[in-house]
Amino acid sequence: MTEQAIPSPEAIKAWARLMRVSRHLVESAEEALKKGGLPPLAWYDVLHELAEAGEGGLRPFQLIERTLFAQYNISRLLARLEADGLVEKLPVADDGRGQTIRITAKGRDTRRRMWSVYGRSIAELVGAKLSADELGMMSALLGRLRHPPASD
């Protein structure tokens, strides 16, 4: 039997603060988008990944990997984006059931409009409150949480 790890009080405090701050930042950015009459943040994430992919687009499984959405969530979101004319689904030549998702000109325009609000939110909520050194330190620390070193 392996011994169960017990988090330190400092780890519990850091975890709780990270969760609360993360929720606050996302909710604040979502509210700014909503006030601007723009779609939710999840739309930006998908449109951004598709724009970065270029004209070749991405397969749905690639979007799932890049955005970390669950498959059922990405399917519904893509259907909504397609209905609004922001993405198009194209058949894959060598895969009868497969599709490639590509951003449309309207999707690129929506992404640009969303970024003007989302980027301002990032600047106000994070950039204006921390120095460049602090931002670098925070980014490095969070990177260690996402990619922990291999354990022995």
Side-chain angles (χ1 to χ4, degrees):
M1 216 182 264
T2 61
E3 186 177 320
Q4 185 177 10
I6 306 290
S8 68
E10 295 83 5
I12 294 168
K13 182 178 180 180
W15 175 265
R17 184 164 288 172
L18 181 62
M19 293 297 102
R20 285 186 197 107
V21 169
S22 178
R23 184 178 64 232
H24 166 72
L25 295 174
V26 170
E27 287 173 354
S28 296
E30 289 276 14
E31 184 61 29
L33 288 168
K34 188 175 179 179
K35 283 182 182 176
L38 295 165
L41 198 50
W43 289 36
Y44 179 85
D45 291 343
V46 170
L47 293 174
H48 174 75
E49 291 300 334
L50 290 171
E52 291 293 308
E55 287 302 308
L58 293 171
R59 301 280 299 264
F61 75 88
Q62 293 172 305
L63 271 172
I64 291 167
E65 290 170 356
R66 292 181 186 204
T67 61
L68 303 178
F69 288 114
Q71 192 276 327
Y72 63 90
N73 286 336
I74 203 78
S75 296
R76 282 191 292 214
L77 181 53
L78 288 174
R80 183 72 195 274
L81 292 170
E82 183 182 31
D84 284 2
L86 304 179
V87 302
E88 58 185 350
K89 294 180 182 176
L90 306 168
V92 175
D94 60 350
D95 182 353
R97 293 177 43 199
Q99 358 178 275
T100 297
I101 313 300
R102 191 166 60 188
I103 191 170
T104 64
K106 183 178 178 184
R108 288 183 193 285
D109 179 62
T110 298
R111 176 181 172 245
R112 277 190 292 274
R113 289 185 298 112
M114 290 180 79
W115 177 249
S116 70
V117 172
Y118 184 32
R120 187 170 50 250
S121 292
I122 293 170
E124 292 170 359
L125 294 166
V126 180
K129 296 182 178 179
L130 299 172
S131 70
D133 286 345
E134 290 169 328
L135 290 167
M137 184 185 319
M138 183 173 73
S139 180
L141 290 170
L142 291 172
R144 285 176 47 196
L145 294 178
R146 182 167 183 208
H147 302 289
S151 59
D152 293 323

